[in-house]
Structure formats: C-alpha cells, structure tokens
C-alpha cells in the first residue's frame, strides 16, 4: 500500500498541509468502498444507489448503466442528460470488448462557417448558448441500444427509478445546491427553466427538494414508447419547434436520421496492463495510449509521484500527444484517422528522441508538419458486476447545463456540443483547445471529443474501470489515475483524489491543481523552461479496481506497484472523486 499519507497540522486555527508526506489536500487516508458482488461509482450518490439496486434485482452491469444514465439525468441535471450524447466502453463476461458511440451529430444544414460574422471572425457565445449551439442528441438511443443488445431487464424496470425521482423529487446535497446556485444567471428570462431550477429567486440549500415533473413525463413517454418517442414523436416535435422559434436549425429529419455506431475500442499495453478505451470520434483513448507509449520508456516509479522529473516527462508527452489530437483526429465517417502510426512504438520512440530531459520544449516547435508530427461538462460513471461485466460510460451536454435551454415542457437541458467542433482554425474553444480542419463542422458529423471511458485488463481479467468529466483534461485525468495505481501504488481512492497536472500543447503551460507541485519541483520545472499556472481543482474521476486473484503457482505479470499493495484478492474497490461532493461509490 502507498506510503503517501496526509499530515494535518493546526497552527493558529489554520489547517496546513505538511509536505512531502502527501502533496495534496485531496488524497487522504479514507479507505475505498469495498464490495464482493458489484460496484457503482458516480458523481451523484442517489444514482450510485440506483445502479446497485438494479443489480440486486438480478440485473447485470449494463442494466445498471442504463438505469444510472437516466437517474443522473434527473439527479445531476447540469451534466447527466438525455439532451446530449456520449460513449460507452464495455468488457462483457464472455470476453468481448465493445465501444458504443452515441456522440451528438451536427444538424443537416450546418455549415463550416456558421459561427463566423461577415468578416470571418467568431461571434462570441454563438456556439455555446441558445439553440444554434445544439447538436442532435444521442443519449436516449445510446442507452436503449445498450439495454437491447447487452442488458437483461425491461426498459420500464431500469427507467422506473429515474421517473420516480423526477416525479416525487429528491433532496439536494450542498454540492447539488452549489451547482444550481452557480448557474442561476444562465436561466434568467426563460420561465420554463426558472420555474423548475430557479427556486423562486432563492438560493438552493442542502435538503431542498428538486421536483422535475415535466422531465418525469418525458421519461415516462420514453419508457413506454422507446427511442421513437424521442426521435420520431412528440418530444422531437417540441424540440424542433422551440429551435425554429429561437433561431436554431434543428429539424425533424435530424432526429429521425440519428444513429449510433458500435466500433472496436482503442487498445494498448503498458507494463503488463491492457487498456481498452475510446476510439475516434473520441480522441481520449488514442491520446492516453500515445502518452503511455512515450512515458513507458522512462522509470516513472523511480522518479517518484509528481517529482520534477516525472512531471517534466509527462508534460512533454502530453504536449506531443495533444498536437496530434488537435490536428490528426476527427469523426471517422468524415476523415482518415492515422491510428496505426499514432499508436506505434516506433512513433513513441521518435517523440522520446525529441524530449530533452533538461529542457522544456516550446510548443512553437511542436507543430503539425514538423517532424515527427505529420500535417493535421460532462459526467462519468463506472460499474462492475459479479458476473464478469464491466461498463465505463462518459456522457455530456458539454458546458454546465449545456446550451442553457429547455424546449417547452420537455423538461431536459439541450447540449451546446457544436462548440466542440473547430469553429475557426486557430481559435480556442471552451476548453482552450486550438484545433485544425479535421474537426471542422459538416452536416451529420460528430465533433471530436476528449471523453475517455476506459477499462484496464490484467492477466485477462478486469483490473480497473475509470473515466472522468473535465473537457480536454479528461485525457490527463484518466492517465494520472491509472499511473497513480500502477506506478505509485496508491489505493483507488487515493488515485482519484490525488492532485493533478495538465498540458494540452496550447496554451504552452503546465496547469496544476493546488499542492500538485512542491516548491522544489516547481523551481526545477521553471528552471527547465516550463510555465506553471495553478488553477482550481478540476474533473471528477469515478473509478473501480478489482483486486487480481493470483493463479496458483503463477506470478502476476507486469511490474506495477499495485501488485505489491495489500489488496484482498477478488474484492472490488470503488473510489469516488471528492472534487464532487454529491457523489459516491456504492457496492454490495
């Protein structure tokens, strides 16, 4: 077990973190939640319990994932959704690996320059707020496809908890209240939104009841009629009518022609572990694997957790991976994604040759077309059952409460996912990403994403299930949770709580959470030429670790610190990220 621990010192009533025992106010000695039969980890504790209850009724992890998806649409309306889209990575009990893509699509009359003015400049806010920012939602068809193909319970059974929570209401935690209060200004001037989420002009508080009867009616319709109610029936009609009335471009044909796809996941190996993650139109799995391929050439464990050497190598690897992510990847239905090259060991070796251990590279010198590179709010939940199934789902409406609009009496927020496209090459999006034309807007195209629902296998068995919200930082969050376990021997709880860093090529800086970088490490990194910007904590990793059961007479493969920790073989460990106080790990 990791030796990192938190020491609290009380000085004049102030709580001071004592370094270097653990360089974080977030990672501490609270033990992971443990279970024998199943585990659900989400950013909203009620939704976690819904998933466990479904498995107690005999459902599998996929049944639970669908129930949780709908429950989060009620209990976590900022981020959980039926008005957005996402990805699901599955490891099935029969050994199959599945990636389901239910990412949103651009409306059929979209154009590459739809957010530019007559001078070719970006119109501020147009791709973020209001109906013109909305892409065609995919969540409802995605969840129903998961249930029909891999679930075991009726739709009515898995949707019943969400309908009840919306109809009868649920008590807010302070974390829930804070999110609603922080977004209240965005609801102004919309009576149908303010009447539900405005709380009569008063601040929400812990214990207040949030009732969403219109959402309950919409969910009931979906439960009874299936996805047709959403894509071909009255729900689509009401969304299209509201869009037309408010300057949007959504059409009934957009909804009727929407499809999900099932694809092969991205795969890579790192020190005896096989990662199964999201392929394009997600950039997540590709970028994570590319970074791991690069840093596998360095003794990360020997460098030490968040040491200057480890952080330098990680930042440089992220820098190179993100320039490829921003210019090489896009919707595979529209562009050719050079995954074989990006994921090759030879390419990782070429990048390592460009990394100077004594000096930071300038992002001006890491460009598409410059060797070795060729020219070009969200929520997550993780579930494992006792039958051998594992599900990792990340879905989103992009910014908090998406485009900040609800169509009439439908009761759900619509996404602002169009901002994930390249609105204009060279102009940063909501997450500061500077992207190229491979991610340009086109009718029916899915925007590039960073969502990274990931499953890790060890010796042929599920070892970890993980993911996070966080925009472009999802990639570095999932990467660091994995490394915290495999290289640094943290428990899964410590791994998700530990402080994080991020580099995404541009802006050319290491973003760092408080306590992520010690003063000595900061001095060393700045001496190498890194710019460090401390920022508020980000993301909300939700992760599960299944302790390996060693085969008699066979040593476990790999060289990871986790294998040396005090895990009880076969036990399931859940770690909920305390950056989101309303969430939980729940097992049975």
């Amino acid at each position: 077990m990791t030796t990192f621990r938190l020491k609290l010192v009380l000085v004049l009533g102030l709580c001071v973190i004592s370094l270097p025992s653990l360089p974080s106010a977030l990672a501490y000695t609270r033990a992971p939640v443990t279970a024998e039969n199943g585990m659900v980890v989400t950013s909203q504790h009620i939704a976690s319990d819904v998933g466990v209850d479904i498995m107690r009724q005999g459902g599998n992890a996929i049944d639970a994932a669908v129930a949780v998806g709908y429950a989060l649409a009620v209990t976590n309306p900022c981020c959980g959704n039926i008005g957005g889209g996402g990805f699901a990575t599955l490891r099935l009990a029969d050994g199959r690996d599945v990636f389901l893509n239910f990412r949103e699509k651009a409306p059929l009359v979209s154009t590459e320059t739809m957010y530019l003015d007559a001078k070719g400049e970006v119109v501020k806010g147009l791709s973020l707020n209001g109906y013109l920012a909305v892409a065609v939602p995919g969540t409802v068809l995605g969840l129903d496809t998961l249930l029909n193909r891999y679930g075991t319970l009726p739709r009515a059974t898995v949707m019943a908890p969400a309908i009840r929570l919306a109809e009868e209401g649920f008590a807010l935690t302070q974390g829930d209240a804070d999110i609603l209060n922080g977004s209240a200004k965005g609801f102004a001037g919309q009576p149908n939104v303010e009447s539900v989420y405005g709380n009569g002009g008063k601040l929400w508080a812990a214990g207040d009841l949030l009732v969403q009867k219109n959402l309950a009616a919409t969910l009931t319709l979906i439960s009874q009629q299936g996805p047709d109610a959403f894509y071909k029936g009255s729900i689509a009609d009401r969304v299209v009518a509201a869009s037309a009335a408010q300057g949007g471009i959504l059409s009934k044909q957009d909804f009727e022609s929407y499809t999900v796809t099932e694809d092969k996941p991205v795969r890579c190996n790192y020190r005896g572990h096989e990662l199964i993650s999201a392929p394009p139109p997600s950039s997540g799995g590709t970028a994570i694997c590319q970074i791991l391929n690069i840093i596998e050439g360095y003794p990360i464990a020997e460098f030490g957790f968040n040491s200057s050497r480890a952080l330098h190598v990680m930042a440089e690897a992220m820098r190179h991976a993100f320039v490829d992510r921003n210019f090489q990847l896009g919707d595979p239905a529209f562009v050719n994604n050079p995954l074989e090259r990006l994921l090759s060991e030879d390419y990782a070796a070429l990048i390592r040759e460009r990394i100077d251990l004594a000096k930071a590279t300038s992002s001006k010198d890491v460009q598409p077309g410059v060797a070795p590179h060729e020219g070009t709010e969200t929520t997550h939940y993780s579930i494992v059952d006792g039958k051998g199934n594992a599900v990792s789902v990340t879905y989103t409406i992009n910014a908090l409460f998406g485009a900040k609009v609800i169509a009439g009496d439908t009761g759900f927020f619509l996404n602002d996912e169009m901002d994930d496209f390249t609105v204009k090459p060279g102009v940063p999006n909501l997450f500061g990403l500077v992207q190229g034309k491979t991610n340009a807007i086109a009718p029916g195209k899915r925007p590039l994403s960073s969502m990274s629902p990931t499953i890790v296998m060890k010796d042929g068995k599920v070892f970890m299930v993980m993911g996070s919200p966080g925009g472009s930082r999802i990639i570095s969050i999932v990467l660091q949770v994995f490394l915290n376990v495999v290289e640094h021997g943290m428990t899964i709880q410590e791994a998700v709580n530990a402080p994080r860093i991020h580099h995404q090529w541009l802006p050319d800086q290491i973003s760092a959470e408080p306590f992520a970088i010690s003063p000595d490490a900061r001095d060393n990194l700045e001496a190498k030429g890194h710019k460090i910007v401390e920022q508020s904590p980000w993301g909300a990793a939700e992760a599960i670790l299944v302790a390996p059961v060693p085969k008699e007479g066979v040593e476990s493969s790999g060289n990871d610190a986790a294998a040396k920790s005090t895990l009880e073989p076969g036990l399931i460990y859940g770690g909920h990220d305390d950056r989101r106080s309303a969430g939980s790990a729940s097992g049975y």
Side-chain angles (χ1 to χ4, degrees), residues 113-268:
T113 58
M114 61 188 287
Y115 298 113
L116 307 183
D117 62 19
K119 296 181 180 179
E121 300 300 323
V122 175
V123 179
K124 187 176 181 181
L126 203 58
S127 63
L128 286 169
N129 300 306
Y131 284 91
L132 198 60
V134 181
V136 185
T139 295
V140 171
L141 187 57
L143 294 179
D144 206 72
T145 301
L146 282 174
L147 186 67
N148 285 335
R149 292 182 185 176
Y150 306 111
T152 63
L153 298 179
R155 183 191 304 119
T157 300
V158 299
M159 292 191 67
I163 294 169
R164 183 181 67 254
L165 288 163
E167 179 69 34
E168 299 176 3
F170 67 97
L172 300 175
T173 68
Q174 190 57 52
D176 297 322
D178 290 343
I179 291 174
L180 287 167
N181 292 333
S183 301
K185 290 183 180 179
F187 307 148
Q190 301 181 76
N192 65 329
V193 181
E194 286 187 298
S195 64
V196 178
Y197 301 100
N199 199 28
K202 300 180 295 183
L203 290 176
W204 293 96
D208 286 348
L209 198 68
L210 178 61
V211 177
Q212 302 164 88
K213 290 188 178 294
N214 285 342
L215 179 55
T218 291
L219 292 173
T220 299
L221 203 58
I222 295 169
S223 177
Q224 294 170 346
Q225 300 178 13
D228 282 356
F230 191 91
Y231 294 95
K232 298 178 181 179
S234 64
I235 299 172
D237 290 335
R238 282 175 279 168
V239 174
V240 169
S243 175
Q246 298 295 324
I249 58 175
L250 291 167
S251 69
K252 188 68 173 291
Q253 186 181 359
D254 288 323
F255 282 80
E256 291 175 340
S257 62
Y258 181 82
T259 57
V260 302
T261 64
E262 191 171 298
D263 308 294
K264 293 181 179 179
V266 163
R267 313 174 82 93
C268 61

Side-chain angles (χ1 to χ4, degrees), residues 87-442:
F87 305 124
T89 303
L90 285 67
R91 173 70 175 193
L92 300 174
D94 62 10
R96 285 180 293 164
D97 298 320
V98 175
F99 175 77
L100 192 76
N101 168 18
F102 54 99
R103 179 74 158 150
E104 305 91 332
K105 289 186 176 184
L108 294 173
V109 298
S110 300
T111 66
E112 187 172 336
T113 58
M114 61 188 287
Y115 298 113
L116 307 183
D117 62 19
K119 296 181 180 179
E121 300 300 323
V122 175
V123 179
K124 187 176 181 181
L126 203 58
S127 63
L128 286 169
N129 300 306
Y131 284 91
L132 198 60
V134 181
V136 185
T139 295
V140 171
L141 187 57
L143 294 179
D144 206 72
T145 301
L146 282 174
L147 186 67
N148 285 335
R149 292 182 185 176
Y150 306 111
T152 63
L153 298 179
R155 183 191 304 119
T157 300
V158 299
M159 292 191 67
I163 294 169
R164 183 181 67 254
L165 288 163
E167 179 69 34
E168 299 176 3
F170 67 97
L172 300 175
T173 68
Q174 190 57 52
D176 297 322
D178 290 343
I179 291 174
L180 287 167
N181 292 333
S183 301
K185 290 183 180 179
F187 307 148
Q190 301 181 76
N192 65 329
V193 181
E194 286 187 298
S195 64
V196 178
Y197 301 100
N199 199 28
K202 300 180 295 183
L203 290 176
W204 293 96
D208 286 348
L209 198 68
L210 178 61
V211 177
Q212 302 164 88
K213 290 188 178 294
N214 285 342
L215 179 55
T218 291
L219 292 173
T220 299
L221 203 58
I222 295 169
S223 177
Q224 294 170 346
Q225 300 178 13
D228 282 356
F230 191 91
Y231 294 95
K232 298 178 181 179
S234 64
I235 299 172
D237 290 335
R238 282 175 279 168
V239 174
V240 169
S243 175
Q246 298 295 324
I249 58 175
L250 291 167
S251 69
K252 188 68 173 291
Q253 186 181 359
D254 288 323
F255 282 80
E256 291 175 340
S257 62
Y258 181 82
T259 57
V260 302
T261 64
E262 191 171 298
D263 308 294
K264 293 181 179 179
V266 163
R267 313 174 82 93
C268 61
N269 287 280
Y270 182 88
R271 306 200 200 284
H273 301 79
E274 183 180 26
L275 283 84
I276 304 166
S277 194
S282 172
S283 63
T286 304
I288 290 168
C289 284
Q290 186 176 343
I291 294 167
L292 288 172
N293 285 344
I294 296 167
I295 68 174
E296 193 171 17
Y298 302 95
I300 300 299
E302 181 182 317
F303 284 172
F305 172 72
N306 281 14
S307 67
S308 61
R309 288 187 296 176
L311 293 177
H312 173 68
V313 167
M314 287 167 58
E316 292 297 300
M318 290 177 192
R319 185 197 311 273
H320 284 272
F322 267 91
V323 74
D324 285 333
R325 178 242 184 249
N326 293 351
F327 290 91
Q328 297 284 329
L329 301 179
D331 184 346
F334 288 78
V335 301
N336 178 41
N337 293 283
L339 298 189
E340 185 175 351
R341 171 179 167 81
L342 296 180
L343 297 175
S344 73
E345 296 289 348
D346 289 342
Y347 187 52
L350 289 173
I351 291 175
R352 280 196 296 272
E353 290 177 3
R354 299 274 172 169
I355 295 176
D356 186 339
L357 292 179
K359 181 182 178 182
T361 310
S362 170
S363 287
K364 292 184 294 184
D365 299 325
V366 180
Q367 297 282 343
V370 176
H373 302 278
E374 294 182 352
T376 184
E377 258 328 304
T378 303
T379 191
H380 176 87
Y381 53 96
S382 298
I383 301 177
V384 166
D385 64 24
K387 304 169 185 177
N389 299 294
V391 184
S392 183
V393 178
T394 311
Y395 71 152
T396 184
I397 48 175
N398 203 31
L400 281 177
F401 298 98
K404 312 291 192 298
V405 293
I406 293 175
D409 61 356
T410 59
F412 61 91
F413 285 96
L414 289 161
N415 68 81
D416 61 343
E417 212 61 65
M418 293 297 288
D419 188 68
D420 270 4
F421 282 112
T422 303
V423 173
K424 180 181 179 180
V427 176
N429 70 359
L430 174 66
F431 301 106
L433 288 170
V434 176
Q435 305 177 98
K437 289 183 70 65
T438 54
N439 191 37
I441 301 169

